[in-house]
Amino acid sequence: MGAVFCCCDNNVREEGATPKTPLLSGAQSKPVVSQNQEVSFAQEDHAPQSGHSVRQHRPDAIKNQEFVTSVDQLESVTLTQLPPQFPTLNKTFQDHGKLYNELYSNFKDMRQSLNDFKGKFVQETAGIPIIADCLKVLSARCGGAKISAQRQKNCIQLMFDQREVSENCSGLPEDALEPLELYNKVNRLIKGVLDKAPQVNKSLGLVLEDEQNLRKVITKSDLPPKEASEALHACIENISRLRKLPGFIEIIEKYTHKIFLEILEGSKVLLEEKEVQR
């Protein structure tokens, strides 16, 4: 039986030993984020998906936007199901894929909600609605309505009375109320991403450190050689896909933290400074 599994392992190594599967040679790879890439995705934050195109107002920025940015490289992960003989191993892979995908989904929701928020201020900001300018406009729209804040770690929630805002706003009530609700939604999503990202990253690290033992679960099983080879190949591919995720999570954390700091600074036009300080 020992010779059989040695043969299986060799077969998989021959089939999968490519630069795309560095795990086969014991190497570890992480996504590399260049300084140019980080600058690019920082600029991307200022481009809403709705309203006037930035192309109409900042033609000099178009070339930068055409580059593939760090955030655009992010993607969900799909992990191969292992044979039913390995329920625990399969659950380990699928659970961690689900954890990352939920984090990534919340991150995408945050970006979309932020763009929806900015889209409410396109006209007043000449088509370039950065967060600070949006909040200045929102402050004016709220008129004399009292706006306070409840500060938590990685989150600011605006407290307001809908009726008071409706009665004191400078225009239509929905032009003030909808951005206020979106502001709170963005902050809740930011908190969810920044709170969960370190936990997901830590759990992934424990799995990746245990790579050799994960392989042994298959190589020491009593599967026929062909099935064992296929299962081991799937296991190695899953580990290779998981190895990309810590780099993705780092990008998600940096981008999300940057957005929160911009919101924190811009919120001073809506609130007393003492209410938004750490």
Side-chain angles (χ1 to χ4, degrees), residues 257-275:
H257 184 64
K258 167 187 169 294
I259 294 301
F260 180 66
L261 291 180
E262 290 184 15
I263 290 176
L264 181 63
E265 182 65 25
S267 295
K268 293 177 182 178
V269 301
L270 273 176
L271 309 162
E272 291 295 328
E273 185 171 344
K274 61 183 175 59
E275 293 182 305

Side-chain angles (χ1 to χ4, degrees), residues 69-110:
T69 66
S70 297
V71 172
D72 290 332
Q73 293 175 5
L74 299 175
E75 59 185 3
S76 60
V77 64
T78 301
L79 301 175
T80 303
Q81 289 280 348
L82 298 179
Q85 291 88 340
F86 310 106
T88 302
L89 182 57
N90 195 54
K91 187 175 187 302
T92 296
F93 285 134
Q94 299 304 323
D95 284 355
H96 283 81
K98 182 179 179 181
L99 283 173
Y100 167 77
N101 285 337
E102 288 177 350
L103 177 69
Y104 177 51
S105 178
N106 288 337
F107 174 71
K108 290 195 299 180
D109 287 347
M110 183 275 292

Side-chain angles (χ1 to χ4, degrees), residues 57-180:
H57 304 280
R58 294 177 58 190
D60 59 317
I62 301 305
K63 290 184 179 180
N64 289 335
Q65 294 181 1
E66 290 175 347
F67 287 108
V68 177
T69 66
S70 297
V71 172
D72 290 332
Q73 293 175 5
L74 299 175
E75 59 185 3
S76 60
V77 64
T78 301
L79 301 175
T80 303
Q81 289 280 348
L82 298 179
Q85 291 88 340
F86 310 106
T88 302
L89 182 57
N90 195 54
K91 187 175 187 302
T92 296
F93 285 134
Q94 299 304 323
D95 284 355
H96 283 81
K98 182 179 179 181
L99 283 173
Y100 167 77
N101 285 337
E102 288 177 350
L103 177 69
Y104 177 51
S105 178
N106 288 337
F107 174 71
K108 290 195 299 180
D109 287 347
M110 183 275 292
R111 292 184 69 206
Q112 182 59 56
S113 297
L114 179 62
N115 283 335
D116 291 344
F117 173 81
K118 291 179 178 181
K120 301 292 184 180
F121 306 97
V122 172
Q123 185 174 354
E124 296 95 329
T125 56
I128 314 175
I130 63 174
I131 293 174
D133 291 344
C134 292
L135 290 171
K136 289 179 183 178
V137 176
L138 180 56
S139 178
R141 288 184 186 179
C142 291
K146 180 181 179 181
I147 308 292
S148 60
Q150 184 178 53
R151 175 71 194 279
Q152 304 173 19
K153 182 181 179 181
N154 300 323
C155 182
I156 302 173
Q157 289 293 283
L158 297 180
M159 313 298 290
F160 56 91
D161 181 87
Q162 290 189 356
R163 182 174 180 178
E164 183 182 359
V165 172
S166 298
E167 292 175 350
N168 289 273
C169 62
S170 60
L172 296 175
E174 56 265 31
D175 289 341
L177 291 172
E178 290 179 5
L180 288 170

Side-chain angles (χ1 to χ4, degrees), residues 141-263:
R141 288 184 186 179
C142 291
K146 180 181 179 181
I147 308 292
S148 60
Q150 184 178 53
R151 175 71 194 279
Q152 304 173 19
K153 182 181 179 181
N154 300 323
C155 182
I156 302 173
Q157 289 293 283
L158 297 180
M159 313 298 290
F160 56 91
D161 181 87
Q162 290 189 356
R163 182 174 180 178
E164 183 182 359
V165 172
S166 298
E167 292 175 350
N168 289 273
C169 62
S170 60
L172 296 175
E174 56 265 31
D175 289 341
L177 291 172
E178 290 179 5
L180 288 170
E181 295 291 352
L182 280 169
Y183 175 102
N184 284 345
K185 180 181 179 181
V186 169
N187 273 271
R188 289 193 298 270
L189 289 167
I190 286 174
K191 178 174 176 57
V193 169
L194 293 180
D195 285 354
K196 291 183 179 179
Q199 301 171 16
V200 176
N201 208 24
K202 181 179 180 180
S203 188
L204 277 169
L206 294 175
V207 172
L208 295 173
E209 288 175 2
D210 203 33
E211 176 188 346
Q212 294 303 319
N213 288 329
L214 297 180
R215 293 195 194 192
K216 287 179 181 179
V217 171
I218 297 175
T219 58
K220 291 185 177 181
S221 70
D222 57 358
L223 281 180
K226 184 176 184 298
E227 294 180 22
S229 176
E230 292 173 351
L232 183 59
H233 183 76
C235 175
I236 292 171
E237 283 296 316
N238 282 347
I239 294 173
S240 181
R241 291 167 187 167
L242 290 180
R243 284 209 180 277
K244 297 179 181 179
L245 303 187
F248 288 171
I249 293 173
E250 181 181 3
I251 293 171
I252 288 173
E253 282 190 283
K254 285 183 177 179
Y255 183 95
T256 304
H257 184 64
K258 167 187 169 294
I259 294 301
F260 180 66
L261 291 180
E262 290 184 15
I263 290 176

